[in-house]
Amino acid sequence: MANEKDFADYSEQMVIRYQKLEELKKRGKDPFTLTRFERTHSAQEVLDQFETLENTEVAIAGRIMTLRVHGKASFAHLQDETGRIQIYAQISELGEEEYKDFQKLDIGDLLGVRGQVFRTRRGEITVAGKEIILLAKALRPLPEKWHGLKDVELRYRQRYVDLIVNPEVKQIFITRSKVIRAARKFLDERGFLEVETPMLHPIAGGAAARPFVTYHNTLDMNLYLRIAPELYLKRLIVGGFEQVYEINRCFRNEGISVKHNPEFTSLELYKAYADYHDIMALTEELISSIASEVLGTTKINYQGNEIDLTPPWQRITMLDAIKKYTGLDLTNLNSLEEAKEIAVRLGIKIEEKDFTIGKLINEAFEKFVEPELIQPTFVIDYPVEVSPLAKRKKEDSRYTERFELFIAGREIANAFSELNDPIDQKERFVKQMEQREQGDDEAHMMDEDYIRALEYGLPPTGGLGIGIDRLIMLLTDAYSIREVILFPHMRPRQD
């Protein structure tokens, strides 16, 4: 038996539970020595198949979620992955010693139960325990209000408890798995090849973001956790693959918010001989088909907004969107001084060293337009200054063949007709490097090997990136990205 000092920081309930475990060990009934329990059915299977299973012996297992102990007969509810089912224990069936052990169980303990299926007088389907085995002792009690843990800080830090006590949370992650599976099915059926590219990059590239830096001892060099797989996937298109995709983890050393987590999941795909119009059509078909397969509908409710994912979706240029929602026409804006005056008037702050007309347009869009885009909307034709990897528009080289998809006021996807001119790409990388030298640590690094790949010839290509976490948020009506990531990053706990 542990001494009192060992329990100094434990609650009274925990001390009692440890003492119960110690008593079991003394009697040779240590539950942690058991290695397996063979189940015949899940809780839901027993409930669904009652007409067939009535008066039949089954073996189930799960966690005690309710416990009603009486003199000679007691009830409990066991919860497994599929749901809950009632069990019945009586002294006449288990024997005096085993029944006393049952009476000493706690909510949270894990049991294996063998017995016959029957329906109680109150009509509840139940398993009458012929054999009840303690498979693991819960030494820490569930939260006091275990039937509705609401403290989001505690929920995210201790997701294992959240999953135990909030069944709707488990459903979110089941939906997440189905969404990713549906995306794979959609792309595989259309001839896309799933590939894997490096997560450790010698050069951070593929997006404007601050990377995480690590160090490789043997190679004696810094490496970066990938911020995007884009440049490697386009190398594969150069190499002769014509349709590739990757569902990948990316890492960005940036702020945390309801829309951002330093580690996140994205889907990126590239299709040779396609442009951003082709990718728009593919995107709306992909997302609407995922919704249909996973939810059974393309009409959803997100945070009180009725949203229709049925294609086709609205398409609008960034300039037209700004004009529509602000009345401001920036089409013929060519003067930097005039742009700075407009920035002051709109309350937009851009550092002098980073100021360009394209950045002003982008900032105006983000501030005034994004929150208004509730129904699925493709915003197209972004300024070249904020699109270093996208092909310029033939009609106006100040803008690119790029779109972002917005739903419920949030960016869900980003795509372009990929820039395949190595000369133009190198010039843009040079400009990005100039911005880095002026202090912009999110500007793109120079990637000489990627330029080399383009010099071998990249066919006209359309590319797409979808934020999987944000898509899951949309399809599960989750306000925060932390609701859809099993273990989101948190500040160290200050107890």
Side-chain angles (χ1 to χ4, degrees):
M1 177 71 183
N3 59 49
E4 291 184 10
K5 187 176 180 182
D6 293 329
F7 295 128
D9 296 327
Y10 288 0
S11 68
E12 183 180 353
Q13 284 191 60
M14 286 188 66
V15 172
I16 292 170
R17 290 182 181 223
Y18 269 90
Q19 289 170 344
K20 288 180 180 180
L21 175 63
E22 199 67 31
E23 289 171 9
L24 289 169
K25 287 180 177 179
K26 286 180 179 178
R27 291 163 47 211
K29 292 188 173 184
D30 183 352
F32 298 118
T33 62
L34 299 175
T35 57
R36 69 189 301 272
F37 180 83
E38 187 169 346
R39 295 186 295 177
T40 61
H41 296 80
S42 69
Q44 195 61 49
E45 285 172 339
V46 175
L47 298 175
D48 291 343
Q49 301 170 28
F50 173 72
E51 290 185 7
T52 303
L53 295 175
E54 187 175 14
N55 299 322
T56 301
E57 185 172 298
V58 298
I60 60 172
R63 187 183 299 275
I64 299 175
M65 298 305 290
T66 70
L67 184 61
R68 305 190 307 280
V69 175
H70 303 292
K72 294 186 178 181
S74 301
F75 291 89
H77 279 95
L78 289 195
Q79 176 174 289
D80 66 10
E81 186 181 46
T82 66
R84 293 186 186 185
I85 190 167
Q86 182 169 263
I87 64 168
Y88 175 58
Q90 55 183 337
I91 191 170
S92 59
E93 185 67 44
L94 294 176
E96 188 172 338
E97 183 180 347
E98 294 299 324
Y99 186 71
K100 282 183 179 179
D101 285 344
F102 183 88
Q103 290 179 307
K104 293 178 182 178
L105 293 172
D106 294 295
I107 288 175
D109 289 350
L110 288 150
L111 299 183
V113 179
R114 294 188 180 93
Q116 283 194 341
V117 180
F118 75 106
R119 193 188 293 273
T120 66
R121 285 197 297 268
R122 294 186 177 182
E124 185 166 359
I125 297 170
T126 304
V127 177
K130 180 179 179 182
E131 182 182 18
I132 299 178
I133 303 169
L134 179 60
L135 301 176
K137 181 70 182 171
L139 299 174
R140 188 177 293 271
L142 294 173
E144 223 172 288
K145 296 181 180 179
W146 55 267
H147 52 282
L149 179 62
K150 300 301 180 188
D151 182 338
V152 292
E153 184 81 3
L154 185 61
R155 287 182 51 231
Y156 300 151
R157 288 188 188 281
Q158 299 178 20
R159 182 68 85 184
Y160 37 89
V161 179
D162 190 25
L163 292 168
I164 292 171
V165 302
N166 291 321
E168 68 277 9
V169 172
K170 187 177 292 182
Q171 190 57 49
I172 287 175
F173 293 102
I174 292 171
T175 299
R176 181 186 178 105
S177 179
K178 290 179 178 178
V179 166
I180 294 172
R181 187 162 64 243
R184 281 196 167 98
K185 178 184 174 186
F186 177 94
L187 293 171
D188 291 345
E189 288 176 349
R190 285 155 180 78
F192 281 83
L193 178 71
E194 184 173 9
V195 297
E196 294 176 298
T197 61
M199 295 179 74
L200 290 173
H201 291 187
I203 296 170
R210 183 183 299 114
F212 286 96
V213 185
T214 187
Y215 179 77
H216 192 287
N217 291 325
T218 302
L219 294 178
D220 187 25
M221 64 182 291
N222 283 336
L223 292 170
Y224 302 91
L225 295 183
R226 74 172 162 207
I227 56 177
E230 176 170 340
L231 302 188
Y232 283 96
L233 291 172
K234 287 193 283 192
R235 285 173 169 95
L236 296 180
I237 301 294
V238 170
F241 290 110
E242 295 183 356
Q243 294 188 125
V244 296
Y245 76 95
E246 183 171 10
I247 297 174
N248 60 79
R249 303 293 285 179
C250 293
F251 309 85
R252 297 184 184 178
N253 198 355
E254 300 170 339
I256 294 175
S257 73
V258 294
K259 297 188 290 185
H260 300 91
N261 192 67
E263 178 182 359
F264 62 96
T265 302
S266 72
L267 161 65
E268 287 209 19
L269 65 85
Y270 292 85
K271 180 179 176 66
Y273 312 110
D275 67 4
Y276 74 145
H277 293 293
D278 299 311
I279 300 300
M280 271 184 263
L282 181 69
T283 302
E284 60 189 5
E285 186 185 358
L286 168 62
I287 293 177
S288 61
S289 75
I290 289 173
S292 293
E293 181 160 334
V294 175
L295 305 180
T297 180
T298 55
K299 294 180 180 178
I300 63 172
N301 185 295
Y302 182 76
Q303 301 296 300
N305 292 305
E306 296 292 333
I307 295 173
D308 189 352
L309 298 176
T310 308
W313 298 342
Q314 178 184 198
R315 289 148 168 79
I316 187 171
T317 68
M318 179 176 278
L319 289 174
D320 286 344
I322 293 171
K323 185 176 181 180
K324 177 178 178 179
Y325 289 99
T326 69
L328 190 63
D329 188 350
L330 301 178
T331 306
N332 297 314
L333 180 62
N334 293 307
S335 164
L336 202 57
E337 291 307 313
E338 185 184 355
K340 289 178 180 178
E341 290 175 7
I342 292 173
V344 171
R345 193 162 74 242
L346 297 178
I348 294 173
K349 294 182 179 179
I350 303 174
E351 291 188 30
E352 181 70 27
K353 59 183 174 58
D354 296 330
F355 196 98
T356 64
I357 293 172
K359 283 201 172 185
L360 166 67
I361 292 170
N362 189 63
E363 291 288 332
F365 168 79
E366 290 183 356
K367 183 174 181 178
F368 297 108
V369 181
E370 271 191 31
E372 306 296 329
L373 303 177
I374 304 303
Q375 297 303 320
T377 304
F378 292 115
V379 177
I380 66 175
D381 301 350
Y382 277 58
V384 70
E385 295 95 327
V386 295
S387 312
L389 298 166
K391 184 171 286 192
R392 295 176 191 265
K393 289 182 66 64
K394 288 181 181 178
E395 305 86 347
D396 190 338
S397 62
R398 297 174 300 170
Y399 299 95
T400 61
E401 292 194 357
R402 174 186 175 187
F403 74 78
E404 286 187 319
L405 168 64
F406 292 88
I407 308 176
R410 293 179 173 178
E411 177 202 339
I412 301 296
N414 182 29
F416 11 98
S417 300
E418 302 297 333
L419 177 59
N420 62 345
D421 179 346
I423 300 169
D424 188 358
Q425 183 66 82
K426 187 165 188 175
E427 289 173 354
R428 292 198 216 177
F429 278 166
V430 168
K431 289 180 180 178
Q432 291 281 304
M433 288 299 293
E434 290 171 357
Q435 291 177 354
R436 288 188 69 83
E437 290 168 4
Q438 292 170 5
D440 183 356
D441 54 5
E442 292 189 356
H444 210 290
M445 296 181 181
M446 173 63 73
D447 189 334
E448 295 285 0
D449 182 71
Y450 179 65
I451 299 298
R452 182 183 300 114
L454 292 184
E455 288 172 337
Y456 281 99
L458 172 69
T461 298
L464 169 69
I466 293 178
I468 291 292
D469 307 296
R470 291 188 186 179
L471 180 59
I472 305 296
M473 289 167 66
L474 181 71
L475 298 180
T476 59
D477 194 21
Y479 175 71
S480 170
I481 195 171
R482 294 183 179 188
E483 293 285 351
V484 302
I485 295 176
L486 278 168
F487 300 101
H489 291 282
M490 310 282 286
R491 292 186 185 277
R493 184 169 177 170
Q494 302 295 325
D495 284 337

